[in-house]
Amino acid sequence: MAQFETRLTALAHGGGCGCKLSPAVLRELLSHMPAIQGFPDLLVGIETGDDAAVYRINSEQAVVATTDFFMPIVDDPFDFGRIAAANALSDVYAMGGQPIMALAIMGMPLGKIAPETVRAILAGGAAICASAGIPVAGGHSIDSPEPIYGLAVIGLVNPDRLLRNSGAKSGDALILSKALGVGVISAALKSGQLETQRQSTLCATLVDSATRLNSVGHSLASVAQVNAMTDVTGFGLLGHGLEMCRGSGLQARIRFDALPLLQGVADLARVPYRTGAAGRNWASYGHEVALAPDLAQWKRDLMCDPQTNGGLLIAVGADGVANVLDALHTAGFERAAVIGNMQDGPPGIKVE
């Protein structure tokens, strides 16, 4: 009888959105892509590193298309499928869109993984899609050295309610909907140095955050004062915040003490536990960030921490802040908070 590796994370060199190429490497690879011309109905392409592509069909409908996949961030196959699916759906929600269907993307190391494990991964993805009210309508699979799973997602959005990462205005408040620290928890779990009870508690915290759908993004598109939105994933809060700054031609001011952190993450970060991606992220964009002189390195690392299905980063006019926070809290994002603001200045971030 074949023997199979039961720990999914042991089959992969990375996990979750920490698998992403660094921002610097990605920019270099895309720098020679030909300019997209002759497609006036392509409302969003690769210009500002936004969350999904958007193509206008008519005055009331546009297609939102995205794909996202990665290697296991947890060992439970059902949870891995759920996390990967929720993360892929988030790109559509971050544009203000509503998903309508998904296609599965799967690569599995044949001979190293049990068929029932693969079925559990697929079932987890299908369960999240069902909770979002959409089908997994097909997909594609290959034999690969490491386990990979994710989705290609198609959605719809009204072009007049489309939210880009490039629409922020000076004076906008910055709201973060979820607490940070998924990457730190993942690194701690992989270390094998945690006692069993603490490991179980932290794993539950990670799964709860990473499987929570960002579907509230669709309703936020109807709030007139919301000017820009993106989701915080592999490049960390600073990386995705910088994309908003560059696209909007503004500077962001972020207060570290205002950032919501997952339970226990500050203590883990002080050890320090951190992912390799956090270091790669800082090396890619640290020159665009001004840190307070006394800011501890573990705090910097947390702001670079790759989030898997992280929260929404929302730029909203001052008169809409209360409404947006109320909508987020009502939708179950109890830790949603104002973390800073957008202001005039060269694109970049100042951290207080």
Side-chain angles (χ1 to χ4, degrees):
M1 181 178 293
Q3 296 296 313
F4 297 104
E5 171 63 62
T6 56
R7 291 186 61 243
L8 280 176
T9 54
L11 293 171
H13 74 280
C17 286
C19 296
K20 275 189 175 183
L21 296 177
S22 75
V25 170
L26 187 59
R27 283 198 299 271
E28 172 62 24
L29 293 175
L30 295 178
S31 63
H32 302 295
M33 290 286 288
I36 299 173
Q37 298 175 344
F39 299 95
D41 288 318
L42 182 64
L43 303 181
V44 181
I46 64 173
E47 300 80 12
T48 63
D50 222 324
D51 298 296
V54 181
Y55 194 93
R56 179 170 50 210
I57 301 172
N58 53 51
S59 61
E60 296 182 351
Q61 289 182 312
V63 172
V64 186
T66 186
T67 182
D68 212 314
F69 52 89
F70 46 61
M71 291 168 281
I73 190 173
V74 293
D75 288 317
D76 184 278
F78 186 75
D79 283 340
F80 170 42
R82 293 168 67 215
I83 291 169
N87 183 74
L89 290 170
S90 184
D91 288 339
V92 174
Y93 293 132
M95 307 299 294
Q98 180 66 48
I100 57 173
M101 71 172 183
L103 303 173
I105 300 167
M106 184 175 70
M108 291 293 152
L110 298 181
K112 297 181 181 179
I113 191 166
E116 55 266 28
T117 299
V118 179
R119 285 194 290 268
I121 294 169
L122 293 172
I128 282 291
C129 288
S131 70
I134 68 169
V136 179
H140 184 67
S141 59
I142 61 168
D143 180 9
S144 63
E146 297 177 295
I148 297 168
Y149 177 71
L151 300 175
V153 186
I154 303 298
L156 294 174
V157 68
N158 185 314
D160 293 333
R161 296 180 180 175
L162 171 64
L163 289 172
R164 299 173 172 87
N165 66 359
S166 56
K169 298 178 181 179
S170 182
D172 281 355
L174 284 175
I175 294 175
L176 182 63
S177 67
K178 285 187 183 182
L180 299 173
V182 166
V184 168
I185 292 178
S186 174
L189 293 175
K190 280 192 170 186
S191 74
Q193 297 177 9
L194 303 179
E195 57 93 13
T196 303
Q197 181 58 47
R198 192 179 186 200
Q199 181 157 324
S200 177
T201 300
L202 287 170
C203 187
T205 297
L206 184 156
V207 171
D208 178 68
S209 178
T211 56
R212 184 167 300 188
L213 289 176
N214 282 320
S215 52
V216 68
H218 176 61
S219 60
L220 292 178
S222 300
V223 179
Q225 297 91 342
V226 174
N227 294 316
M229 188 161 65
T230 190
D231 62 345
V232 178
T233 53
F235 298 160
L237 173 64
L238 293 180
H240 293 285
L242 281 167
E243 289 177 334
M244 184 177 287
C245 291
R246 298 187 199 111
S248 304
L250 297 170
Q251 189 174 91
R253 180 175 62 90
I254 291 176
R255 301 183 302 277
F256 181 86
D257 290 345
L259 298 179
L261 303 179
L262 291 171
Q263 184 69 35
V265 159
D267 291 336
L268 293 174
R270 287 187 180 96
V271 171
Y273 287 112
R274 75 167 188 174
T275 65
R280 294 192 296 271
N281 284 343
W282 179 253
S284 294
Y285 54 62
H287 61 285
E288 298 177 82
V289 180
L291 298 175
D294 58 346
L295 192 81
Q297 183 170 330
W298 69 267
K299 295 182 178 181
R300 184 201 78 182
D301 291 344
L302 262 176
M303 291 185 289
C304 300
D305 189 49
Q307 304 303 290
T308 300
N309 191 33
L312 297 171
L313 181 63
I314 309 153
V316 55
D319 56 341
V321 170
N323 287 340
V324 170
L325 285 175
D326 183 62
L328 290 169
H329 294 156
T330 300
F333 296 90
E334 299 91 352
R335 303 293 305 283
V338 176
I339 63 167
N341 65 278
M342 302 295 288
Q343 57 191 19
D344 293 324
I349 296 178
K350 291 183 178 180
V351 180
E352 298 176 353

